[in-house]
Amino acid sequence: MLYTCLLPACQSEQHLGQYYTVPPSHFHTVFPHGLPPRYQQQVKTFNEGCVMVRQPALELISHLKRADYSKPTLRYLLYGVKGSGKTMSLCHTVHYCSTQGWLVLHIPDAHLWVKNCKELLPSSYHASRFDQPIQASNWLRNFRTTNEHFLSKIKLRQRYVWTKRESTEEGRPLGELVDMGVSRVKSSSDVVGAVLKELRLQAGGTEGGFRLAVAVDGVNGLWGRTTLKKEDKSPVAPEELTLVHNLRKMINNDWCGGAVIATLSQTGSLYAPSSAYLPQELLGEEGFDSMDPFVPVPVSLYSEKEFESCYLYYLDRHWLQHPHSQTEEGKKELIFLSNRNPSVLERLCAFL
Amino acid sequence: MASTSGLRTTLSKMAASLTGLLKPWTPRVLLVRWSRYNPYYLEPEPRKEVYHIPETELTPEQKEERELKSVRPIKAATNSVTSSVFNDPVLSKFVNMMMKDGDKIIAKGIITQTLENMKRKQVEKYHKAPEGKKAEIECNPYAIFHQALENCKPVIGLASIQKGGKFYQVPIPLTDNRRRFLAMKWMITECRDNKHRRTLMYEKLSQELLAAFSKEGNVVKRKHELHKMAESNRAYAHYRWW
């Protein structure tokens, strides 16, 4: 039993280790930017997107089903060694949330906002902060693709003034705000801040009644150091970036009606040793204090059953082509070389 | 390798007569780059099957060999020999030929990326093809690599032979090793020279290997041109004396 056709809402422990297909119609709407690049290549090659049902994702989904949404938001943190499947579990949960009709705020990698920024504008709203127009407008574009149907339903509760001549009135739909942010690149970071604030205020409301899922990958990037420099070559702290400042407010549990699901990531992180994977090490003191209390969800390497399932999936999709890789000896060698690490196994099977 | 082991046996016979010297010794100055061992040292055995034969099924020669190995020192194995089932000698040779400045990691990385790229293209074609055409598409990158190399190997070569003050291009038969070397060399030089500035080596190499698999592309063209030159110079074939 390798494949199951149930969507995330109906999956349970008996489906552990089985693969379910993400319907092609969902791919471009739910995941314009969340998936790891190698997985995107795999989807293009196999002409379908299959995700394995694993324990951490099922645990998260069961928590989300049973949580009380009138209380302050619960924060879930996925942690594990490099390549153990944290981002994929996050994407599985995001797919569940979007099939249940939640509004999904998916930040694909928080590290992309604290490094390699070509344009750093001083913020118009707050004197000591910096704006990142390119990253903000990209994210707004992807946000618009993900949540099309919500954009016309949510109305703004406050008037926002952008320049002397431009302002967005109260009661206008959120879609207008997002379109303005995408077209006027200079004020896109402030638009992002406004969008986050509106969603936070309206998430738990009884009359609007939508649930908000904030999915952040690489959340440890929000509390470390950045590689960005001001014009006088002094380093920029993460608090001085508008995007990071607003995102930190989102991760605080002072709003209700949703959930925050975060992943730690050493791969894109700055100034963190490569062997670090625990929350304490990667988040640092400041980060840990802000995230505390959270629900930790450990993501482990493949168990024997999961490894079997992955091996059979690759065989089924004609991915393992080397004649020796289809024998018992080749399988033992794959287990030895990859140590059942999902990403290492994927890279090994790529050229075998 | 055959000539050096022949030399070693003659040396060992000479050395055996001077029995005092035939002890395990290491020279005072140890050469690191080349492995020049005392003939007393034995070759290592990387294959796993040899060690899995149980005691009872050994032939007398194998028993004798095992006893010899328990007393004699053994040379260190080079980095390129593995007991892995995925070891391919032709591919290792190709990696060595592609290597620059001894950087095997980069060369091996390029080859693995090439194999992955070829497999991706073929598997994508396979999954999109209708049912009848699926059996014709070859997805195994190793099979494609070997077949492409076979298609690039020249059958006959040319040598420059001097006769009467002038040099003539004479058609000569080639050994298997020389043919394999020429095919690999042509493939690598083609991919290094004739590519767009922005294409990476693995991309160009995968394109050329797939083209050679279906007998198109610049490398098989070069092989055909060599054959044509040899055909046109067949009158000079008698200038060859070996």
Side-chain angles (χ1 to χ4, degrees), chain B residues 73-89:
Chain B
I74 305 190
K75 296 183 197 172
T78 51
N79 281 336
S80 49
V81 301
T82 36
S83 60
S84 157
V85 287
F86 304 120
N87 191 19
D88 189 2

Side-chain angles (χ1 to χ4, degrees), chain A residues 38 41-42 44-45 47 317-319 321-325 329 333 349-352, chain B residues 48 83-86 112 115-116 119-120 123-124 126-128 138-142:
Chain A
R38 280 198 78 95
Q41 276 182 337
Q42 186 183 301
K44 187 166 161 261
T45 312
N47 220 11
R317 294 270 93 204
H318 300 272
W319 191 232
Q321 286 286 332
H322 198 278
H324 279 285
S325 66
E329 277 217 20
E333 194 159 325
C349 296
F351 62 84
L352 280 177
Chain B
K48 275 193 276 200
S83 60
S84 157
V85 287
F86 304 120
T112 42
L115 293 169
E116 186 190 329
K119 192 162 65 150
R120 254 184 226 282
V123 170
E124 212 177 316
Y126 181 91
H127 285 303
K128 290 191 180 142
E138 174 64 61
C139 291
N140 186 355
Y142 295 86

Side-chain angles (χ1 to χ4, degrees), chain A residues 91-239:
Chain A
C91 294
H92 187 155
T93 324
V94 160
H95 187 222
Y96 164 76
C97 294
S98 72
T99 45
Q100 297 296 96
W102 294 32
L103 201 158
V104 172
L105 219 73
H106 189 40
I107 288 105
D109 196 358
H111 294 298
L112 295 175
W113 289 356
V114 297
K115 57 179 179 178
N116 296 344
C117 181
K118 301 275 165 72
E119 276 183 32
L120 207 62
L121 302 173
S123 164
S124 47
Y125 181 67
H126 201 275
S128 61
R129 286 200 214 135
F130 292 96
D131 267 359
Q132 284 154 306
I134 320 174
Q135 278 94 341
S137 52
N138 273 342
W139 184 80
L140 277 173
R141 212 171 299 133
N142 289 328
F143 173 75
R144 190 171 51 184
T145 337
T146 327
N147 302 303
E148 292 277 5
H149 50 279
F150 277 109
L151 294 177
S152 44
K153 284 195 227 159
I154 301 174
K155 308 281 180 218
L156 301 178
R157 284 193 189 163
Q158 197 195 324
R159 183 167 177 265
Y160 294 100
V161 180
W162 306 117
T163 55
K164 272 189 225 161
R165 282 170 230 164
E166 279 171 21
S167 64
T168 321
E169 302 298 325
E170 207 177 307
R172 306 294 296 161
L174 193 67
E176 208 181 282
L177 194 60
V178 175
D179 289 326
M180 217 217 76
V182 173
S183 48
R184 297 251 178 285
V185 181
K186 274 218 162 112
S187 44
S188 47
S189 318
D190 294 321
V191 168
V192 169
V195 162
L196 293 180
K197 186 169 161 191
E198 285 296 317
L199 292 174
R200 222 177 25 240
L201 289 173
Q202 298 192 20
T206 39
E207 74 283 351
F210 64 90
R211 290 203 189 143
L212 182 61
V214 181
V216 189
D217 205 332
V219 78
N220 49 324
L222 299 177
W223 289 286
R225 290 152 65 182
T226 67
T227 43
L228 307 174
K229 295 216 167 71
K230 297 180 216 171
E231 274 159 8
D232 52 354
K233 311 272 173 105
S234 58
V236 175
E239 302 79 49

Side-chain angles (χ1 to χ4, degrees), chain B residues 209-228:
Chain B
L209 284 170
L210 283 169
F213 179 71
S214 35
K215 299 203 180 140
E216 307 153 347
N218 285 345
V219 195
V220 287
K221 203 168 88 172
R222 186 165 170 181
K223 172 189 89 157
H224 288 320
E225 276 167 16
L226 181 66
H227 285 178
K228 276 184 216 151

Side-chain angles (χ1 to χ4, degrees), chain B residues 78-142:
Chain B
T78 51
N79 281 336
S80 49
V81 301
T82 36
S83 60
S84 157
V85 287
F86 304 120
N87 191 19
D88 189 2
V90 177
L91 207 62
S92 314
K93 202 48 121 182
F94 195 72
V95 170
N96 287 342
M97 285 189 61
M98 187 167 284
M99 178 165 63
K100 276 189 184 176
D101 296 332
D103 215 337
K104 183 111 69 156
I105 305 176
I106 296 186
K108 185 94 179 106
I110 294 174
I111 301 287
T112 42
Q113 282 170 335
T114 313
L115 293 169
E116 186 190 329
N117 202 328
M118 281 201 296
K119 192 162 65 150
R120 254 184 226 282
K121 286 185 192 165
Q122 293 296 98
V123 170
E124 212 177 316
K125 250 200 294 184
Y126 181 91
H127 285 303
K128 290 191 180 142
E131 282 302 321
K133 300 276 173 85
K134 283 201 179 183
E136 296 161 359
I137 301 177
E138 174 64 61
C139 291
N140 186 355
Y142 295 86

Side-chain angles (χ1 to χ4, degrees), chain B residues 23-73:
Chain B
K23 304 183 288 238
W25 54 265
T26 38
R28 262 206 229 148
V29 179
L30 209 61
L31 300 163
V32 175
R33 292 263 171 78
W34 299 274
S35 55
R36 188 173 139 255
Y37 282 92
N38 182 358
Y40 198 63
Y41 282 65
L42 302 173
E43 298 283 337
E45 178 60 70
R47 295 170 300 158
K48 275 193 276 200
E49 306 82 61
V50 172
Y51 298 106
H52 284 317
I53 313 173
E55 285 287 331
T56 45
E57 285 175 31
L58 292 173
T59 61
E61 293 96 9
Q62 281 174 327
K63 282 198 184 123
E64 214 180 289
E65 209 183 301
R66 281 216 185 169
E67 276 179 30
L68 189 65
K69 284 207 167 179
S70 61
V71 280
R72 291 265 199 108

